Amino acid sequence: TQQAIDAIISVDDKEHITSWNYGAEQMFGYDAMEILGKSLAVVLPKHKEIEVDRASRSVELEGCGKSGHSFPVEVSY
């Protein structure tokens, strides 16, 4: 998963980022050393405002890159 093109991010029960792959680095602009241990809200600021479609277990959100730019992302749970 570390070399996957898709961003793969794992968080703990307090929503701190615990793993960050190559795809996440490319998408959000942060390398793992910068982002590990930080809140998921750094890259998905509105993630608590979502309702997950229980059938598909995915949702579209706004991602936020290191440079401050916003872009659409599809998040799967």
Side-chain angles (χ1 to χ4, degrees), residues 2-67:
Q2 288 303 317
Q3 297 303 316
I5 295 171
D6 291 334
I8 301 173
I9 303 167
S10 299
V11 297
D12 64 16
D13 59 343
K14 294 181 180 162
E15 298 187 344
H16 293 119
I17 297 170
T18 59
S19 71
W20 185 262
N21 76 338
Y22 172 80
E25 288 182 3
Q26 298 304 303
M27 180 178 290
F28 294 99
Y30 294 96
D31 66 40
M33 296 304 292
E34 293 176 287
I35 201 75
L36 289 176
K38 303 278 195 257
S39 170
L40 182 61
V42 172
V43 293
L44 297 174
K46 297 181 180 179
H47 74 280
K48 293 205 179 233
E49 300 172 17
I50 61 165
E51 291 186 29
V52 177
D53 178 343
R54 295 195 187 278
S56 68
R57 297 188 54 89
S58 67
V59 65
E60 287 191 25
L61 290 174
E62 182 177 284
C64 185
K66 182 178 179 178
S67 66

